[in-house]
Amino acid sequence: MSPAKIEEDHRRGFIVPIGGAEDKEGDVRVLRRFLEVSGGKRARVVIIPTASSLEDTGSRYEKLFKKLGAYEAKSLPIVTRADAARDEWLKYLDHASAVFVTGGNQLRLSTILGGTPMATAIRRANARGVSVGGTSAGAAILSEHMIAQGQEGNTPKAGLVTLAPGFGLTNRFVFDQHFRQRDRLGRLLTALAYNPFAVGVGLDEDTAAFIDADSKLSVVGAGGITIVDGAGLEHSSIAETRDGQTVSMTNVRVHVLIEGGSFDLTTRTASP
Amino acid sequence: MSPAKIEEDHRRGFIVPIGGAEDKEGDVRVLRRFLEVSGGKRARVVIIPTASSLEDTGSRYEKLFKKLGAYEAKSLPIVTRADAARDEWLKYLDHASAVFVTGGNQLRLSTILGGTPMATAIRRANARGVSVGGTSAGAAILSEHMIAQGQEGNTPKAGLVTLAPGFGLTNRFVFDQHFRQRDRLGRLLTALAYNPFAVGVGLDEDTAAFIDADSKLSVVGAGGITIVDGAGLEHSSIAETRDGQTVSMTNVRVHVLIEGGSFDLTTRTASP
């Protein structure tokens, strides 16, 4: 599920992973900003509530996005793989300016949507300019390599994390969420210990990364984003480490950014 | 590490995963065929021995490829991430017609080469027509989603397999090797249970898949290749399954192919 080809004259839409528990009643900064980059008052949001086991998750986001000024907000209650091939639901993607993926269990997203026409339609929509955001599980699924599950703790350990294929909107970042709240540095480091190609993005709750078409990431929200860059990694011991044992890693670069901060993937530089 | 863009007027080179233990003294079918699709007598093979912990692995393949008629065979003894950025070694890729990745431990390949200029050069070489093959660990690393490790057995179980990012020459296939010899159907099914987007390719020993620029796969060698296609998957229970418990999956399609058989990814059809 790698990034769809970008057609000429089109710029990729924003990719917007959110760390979960985004504010919905106060100033609602993260979701307001998401609408702003998705057409503002003309925003047409398609909501994918599949990760959630609660029946009203989709309708709650419908009401919320409309209250925030979206022109349209439509939840597609996909619960089976057959649902993810329904023509009448795929058609909503043709006119959407945004796709929003709710929280829950990211393995419900990958098992129910993976390899379906709906997943392809979301990838293609992003490539032609539609912004795609998600919160918590909906953030994890956005990248090619998704953290499916893992354990808490600050130290990387072999076997601490389970990776699985996601939607593949980008393979340059790996997202983790509820980052500070659930003490997840260790599992993000472990994910990069296997292969430091991708950049790790640890998202605190009520905090989002807005990643533009030039792969520049900007922080919006109340918490921080921890960028873990393995470009300069000199050594990772995970090839020789048994499950449960600590992995040694040298020269990993870390940035902690708050609102207003940014990270440029092309130059690998952070700005506060 | 997704597939590099294919430049105009170039066709992607063959991707050639081999199931390990390929014949080196008899008719040497697999490696001979690999040279045939890599320029024949004009073949210039760059060997990546990094997965192996044996010092003579690279030189053994140098001698073998020359004996089989290659014009040149050069092993690059990359053992650190700094080695994988050495200009004088990267230059060999400019004139190579083939890259061959030896067996060993695939996590040595992903941790030492992942995100380095050498990994980028291999991806770009494949995109401009250079064939890239690998045996055992060298087969696993070729795809975007690599089986890093796992347990034996025919039944898919949650936690049975560890996925990690590979070289990313293709994200449409996931390879497993020593397939029949080490009883690995369960771990390949588990890999697809997370997300059935990719097609699983289980390679027996002394057996190779030759995947051409049109994503058509042809079997060469003494054993079989088991294709596991989740395109029609109706249900996977892995989102609700605890580690160690069996995963239910319905409507997975399986083909077992021997030499002369082929599988077309575009049409999802197998031919004996």
Side-chain angles (χ1 to χ4, degrees):
Chain A
M1 285 209 180
S2 69
K5 279 184 190 159
I6 299 178
E7 296 163 49
E8 278 181 54
D9 303 329
H10 282 105
R11 302 252 305 158
R12 178 178 297 283
F14 274 86
I15 299 170
V16 186
I18 305 168
E22 71 282 1
D23 173 49
K24 297 176 188 71
E25 293 171 353
D27 58 1
V28 200
R29 285 190 68 75
V30 169
L31 296 179
R32 279 188 199 282
R33 180 75 187 131
F34 180 66
L35 285 184
E36 279 170 27
V37 302
S38 306
K41 289 181 180 170
R42 287 168 297 132
R44 303 167 84 114
V45 187
V46 168
I47 297 153
I48 308 289
T50 307
S52 176
S53 51
L54 304 175
E55 265 193 33
D56 65 344
T57 300
S59 59
R60 282 183 58 217
Y61 275 104
E62 282 182 348
K63 285 175 200 148
L64 182 54
F65 280 122
K66 282 179 195 161
K67 187 177 147 196
L68 294 173
Y71 179 78
E72 191 177 61
K74 170 72 181 171
S75 176
L76 304 178
I78 298 164
V79 294
T80 66
R81 292 180 59 80
D83 287 342
R86 287 174 65 164
D87 278 338
E88 68 271 33
W89 287 356
L90 288 165
K91 277 182 192 154
Y92 279 97
L93 272 291
D94 294 343
H95 304 289
S97 66
V99 175
F100 185 84
V101 188
T102 76
N105 177 351
Q106 53 264 52
L107 282 175
R108 282 181 54 84
L109 291 163
S110 61
T111 56
I112 294 172
L113 288 165
T116 66
M118 184 62 73
T120 304
I122 292 171
R123 240 177 6 265
R124 289 187 179 154
N126 187 236
R128 71 171 181 264
V130 172
S131 51
V132 180
T135 187
S136 189
I141 192 74
L142 300 179
S143 65
E144 176 81 46
H145 299 280
M146 167 180 97
I147 295 182
Q149 54 196 53
Q151 295 157 41
E152 296 195 351
N154 275 323
T155 315
K157 291 188 182 181
L160 194 71
V161 70
T162 302
L163 292 172
F167 283 173
L169 301 183
T170 171
N171 67 342
R172 309 298 306 277
F173 293 104
V174 173
F175 305 119
D176 207 352
Q177 58 288 334
H178 307 285
F179 194 69
R180 190 166 302 174
Q181 289 77 10
R182 298 190 191 171
D183 192 15
R184 287 180 164 173
L185 180 61
R187 79 179 207 179
L188 190 55
L189 283 167
T190 305
L192 302 181
Y194 287 115
N195 186 332
F197 170 74
V199 170
V201 178
L203 301 142
D204 290 349
E205 292 181 356
D206 193 21
T207 311
F210 282 73
I211 302 170
D212 70 15
D214 299 318
S215 293
K216 188 171 172 187
L217 176 160
S218 303
V219 182
V220 175
I225 289 184
T226 304
I227 305 279
V228 183
D229 184 356
L233 183 78
E234 286 186 350
H235 177 74
S236 156
S237 72
I238 204 161
E240 294 88 34
T241 306
R242 284 198 306 267
D243 268 11
Q245 293 202 317
T246 304
V247 176
S248 85
M249 300 173 76
T250 60
N251 287 287
V252 175
R253 189 182 295 197
V254 172
H255 313 284
V256 179
L257 302 172
I258 58 170
E259 183 155 300
S262 64
F263 178 78
D264 186 327
L265 183 70
T266 312
T267 58
R268 300 268 185 161
T269 51
S271 157
Chain B
M1 284 209 178
S2 68
K5 278 184 190 157
I6 299 180
E7 296 163 49
E8 277 182 55
D9 303 328
H10 283 105
R11 301 253 304 160
R12 178 178 298 281
F14 274 87
I15 300 170
V16 186
I18 305 168
E22 71 282 1
D23 174 48
K24 297 176 188 70
E25 293 170 352
D27 58 1
V28 201
R29 285 190 68 75
V30 169
L31 296 180
R32 278 189 199 281
R33 179 76 187 129
F34 180 65
L35 284 185
E36 281 170 25
V37 302
S38 305
K41 288 180 180 171
R42 288 168 295 132
R44 302 167 84 115
V45 186
V46 168
I47 297 153
I48 309 288
T50 307
S52 177
S53 51
L54 305 174
E55 266 193 31
D56 66 343
T57 300
S59 59
R60 283 181 59 216
Y61 274 104
E62 282 182 349
K63 285 175 198 148
L64 182 55
F65 280 121
K66 282 179 195 161
K67 187 176 147 197
L68 294 173
Y71 178 77
E72 192 178 60
K74 169 70 181 171
S75 176
L76 304 179
I78 298 163
V79 294
T80 66
R81 291 180 58 81
D83 286 343
R86 287 175 65 165
D87 278 339
E88 68 270 33
W89 287 355
L90 288 164
K91 279 181 191 152
Y92 280 97
L93 271 291
D94 294 342
H95 304 289
S97 67
V99 174
F100 185 83
V101 189
T102 76
N105 178 350
Q106 54 264 51
L107 282 175
R108 282 181 54 83
L109 290 164
S110 62
T111 56
I112 295 171
L113 288 165
T116 67
M118 185 61 73
T120 303
I122 292 171
R123 241 177 5 264
R124 289 186 179 154
N126 187 237
R128 71 171 182 264
V130 172
S131 52
V132 180
T135 186
S136 190
I141 192 73
L142 300 178
S143 66
E144 176 80 46
H145 298 281
M146 167 181 97
I147 295 182
Q149 55 196 50
Q151 295 158 41
E152 299 195 349
N154 276 324
T155 314
K157 291 186 183 184
L160 194 71
V161 70
T162 302
L163 292 173
F167 283 173
L169 302 182
T170 170
N171 68 342
R172 309 297 307 277
F173 294 104
V174 173
F175 305 120
D176 207 351
Q177 58 289 333
H178 307 286
F179 195 69
R180 191 167 302 175
Q181 289 76 11
R182 298 190 190 171
D183 191 14
R184 286 180 165 173
L185 180 60
R187 79 180 207 177
L188 189 55
L189 283 168
T190 305
L192 302 182
Y194 288 115
N195 186 332
F197 170 73
V199 170
V201 178
L203 302 141
D204 290 351
E205 292 180 356
D206 194 20
T207 311
F210 282 73
I211 301 171
D212 69 15
D214 299 319
S215 293
K216 189 171 171 188
L217 177 160
S218 302
V219 183
V220 175
I225 289 184
T226 303
I227 304 280
V228 183
D229 184 356
L233 183 77
E234 287 187 350
H235 177 74
S236 156
S237 72
I238 203 161
E240 295 88 34
T241 306
R242 283 198 307 267
D243 268 11
Q245 294 203 316
T246 303
V247 177
S248 85
M249 301 173 76
T250 59
N251 287 287
V252 176
R253 190 183 296 198
V254 173
H255 313 284
V256 179
L257 303 172
I258 58 171
E259 185 156 298
S262 64
F263 177 77
D264 186 327
L265 182 70
T266 311
T267 59
R268 300 270 184 156
T269 50
S271 157

